[in-house]
Amino acid sequence: MGKYIVKRLIGLIPVVIGVSICAFLLIHLIPGDPARAILGERATEETMNALREQLGLNDPLYVQYARFMGNVLQGDFGRSVITNNPVIEEFAQRFPATLELSLAAMIIAVIVGVLAGVISAVKQYSIFDNLSMVGALLGVSLPIFWLGLMMQWLFAFKLGLLDASARLSVDTHLQTITNLYLLDAILTGNWPAFVDAFKHILMPSLALATIPMAIIARMTRSSMLEVLKQDYIRTARAKGLKEKVVIFKHALKNAFLPVLTVMGLQFGSLLGGAVLTETIFSWPGVGRLMYEAIMQRDFPVVQNGILIIALIFVLINLLVDILYSYVDPRIRTH
């Protein structure tokens, strides 16, 4: 197992280098002078020269990249030109909100997606199968910004059941421990805050869950249909095992491997920041931070933010590969 992990880590090195080059070149792909793009048209020449010196834009490209990677390897991801705070601190403040939203969305996506996929496979060509696959197609096709706005209009403004934005109401007080509000409310026994946080997170997590839910449902159905045709499933049924045991213990266990890969990829992409969802619901996460940085032309945050998000995605994929090898030991031999 140790050799397999080392092999996977070595394989990630070219990926990380490639991503770092793309993130580094971002500021140099801006048409015209990057300093003027950041500061605006009214900036003086002295101000632009100071920013060029601060960002090291006067040095040759290879020197800038070497300094950029040297700083990253030391944990220095630069500073925001707007707040002057370290980029890593900006991300550390916003990441718990994105993590909580991503976890909530993935829980919904996995539970609904796997169950819908299993039932659709067992009852192939039934009304449920057709409806669930149409729902999966809609889940992938519907724009999140439209779905989020419609959910806000219906559940927040028309029915008044849920809250449309932010993580907590202004008059709700919560002692934070992990900055995951639902977990903090449980740990501190603050149940009114738990209910309030749940009402705030439900709509954005449902909107964010639609795409991974649809993909997981389709993948589960496809994988289950293939497994249900295998000889050992017919043997299990011939032995008189209950259908639930055959489906969930024998079939789903073997069909879950490709689904696990999809779950890891989807969770990694959600952790990277759901820009549209967080912007529509005013959710103070990584995606909204990136949106605000782009609108404010805070390119150090955008540049280093892309690198941080890519590193998170790569690490999630590594964890999925390791988990995959535990579920199916044959993977380690390849």
Side-chain angles (χ1 to χ4, degrees):
M1 186 63 189
K3 292 181 179 180
Y4 175 77
I5 295 176
V6 171
K7 182 180 177 182
R8 296 300 301 167
L9 286 172
I10 293 174
L12 292 178
I13 293 176
V15 177
V16 174
I17 293 175
V19 170
S20 69
I21 293 174
C22 293
F24 167 74
L25 291 176
L26 173 68
I27 197 169
H28 297 279
L29 295 176
I30 303 170
D33 186 357
R36 185 172 293 280
I38 294 172
L39 296 175
E41 294 296 329
R42 296 185 179 181
T44 63
E45 192 65 33
E46 292 79 7
T47 306
M48 289 193 296
N49 286 332
L51 182 61
R52 291 191 194 101
E53 191 65 31
Q54 176 187 341
L55 299 179
L57 297 176
N58 295 325
D59 297 327
L61 205 60
Y62 67 90
V63 174
Q64 294 181 45
Y65 179 71
R67 181 170 54 244
F68 172 72
M69 285 304 297
N71 291 336
V72 167
L73 292 175
Q74 297 176 45
D76 181 5
F77 289 88
R79 288 181 174 271
S80 166
V81 297
I82 303 298
T83 64
N84 200 37
N85 293 329
V87 174
I88 195 68
E89 288 186 9
E90 298 271 358
F91 265 73
Q93 293 172 3
R94 302 291 192 103
F95 186 70
T98 295
L99 177 61
E100 184 174 46
L101 180 61
S102 300
L103 286 172
M106 279 307 297
I107 289 172
I108 295 171
V110 170
I111 293 175
V112 177
V114 170
L115 285 177
V118 170
I119 296 173
S120 295
V122 174
K123 299 182 181 296
Q124 188 180 14
Y125 304 130
S126 65
I127 295 177
F128 181 88
D129 182 25
N130 294 328
L131 289 177
S132 63
M133 289 304 101
V134 170
L137 181 61
L138 289 175
V140 175
S141 305
L142 288 177
I144 288 183
F145 66 86
W146 180 85
L147 181 62
L149 291 173
M150 291 300 100
M151 291 176 70
Q152 285 180 327
W153 174 79
L154 178 61
F155 295 109
F157 302 121
K158 281 294 181 180
L159 301 179
L161 297 176
L162 302 172
D163 293 284
S165 62
R167 298 180 72 189
L168 279 178
S169 299
V170 178
D171 57 349
T172 301
H173 301 285
L174 174 64
Q175 178 186 352
T176 56
I177 300 173
T178 64
N179 281 323
L180 304 175
Y181 285 1
L182 291 174
L183 179 59
D184 288 342
I186 294 173
L187 294 175
T188 58
N190 191 342
W191 299 113
F194 178 86
V195 173
D196 189 56
F198 181 79
K199 290 173 66 177
H200 280 80
I201 200 174
L202 186 56
M203 265 201 298
S205 59
L206 283 171
L208 191 58
T210 52
I211 292 178
M213 184 195 305
I215 295 173
I216 290 172
R218 292 175 68 88
M219 179 60 71
T220 303
R221 179 183 182 273
S222 176
S223 186
M224 281 290 293
L225 286 174
E226 188 168 341
V227 169
L228 288 173
K229 298 175 184 177
Q230 301 300 315
D231 291 337
Y232 62 86
I233 297 297
R234 286 194 288 268
T235 302
R237 284 171 171 159
K239 290 168 63 177
L241 294 178
K242 293 181 179 179
E243 188 66 13
K244 290 182 179 179
V245 176
V246 174
I247 297 300
F248 289 100
K249 185 177 180 180
H250 295 279
L252 183 58
K253 180 181 178 181
N254 290 281
F256 204 66
L257 292 176
V259 179
L260 182 63
T261 303
V262 171
M263 288 168 52
L265 293 173
Q266 292 299 313
F267 185 58
S269 63
L270 294 183
L271 279 181
V275 178
L276 289 175
T277 305
E278 291 185 359
T279 303
I280 291 169
F281 291 96
S282 299
W283 194 263
V286 170
R288 191 178 176 196
L289 173 65
M290 295 294 289
Y291 169 78
E292 292 171 349
I294 293 171
M295 297 303 294
Q296 296 171 346
R297 294 180 292 191
D298 194 349
F299 287 101
V301 173
V302 178
Q303 181 184 50
N304 290 279
I306 290 174
L307 181 58
I308 295 172
I309 290 171
L311 290 175
I312 292 172
F313 190 81
V314 167
L315 289 175
I316 292 294
N317 284 335
L318 176 62
L319 292 175
V320 170
D321 285 342
I322 294 172
L323 182 59
Y324 205 104
S325 67
Y326 270 113
V327 175
D328 187 359
R330 293 173 299 176
I331 301 298
R332 306 176 203 171
T333 61
H334 296 294

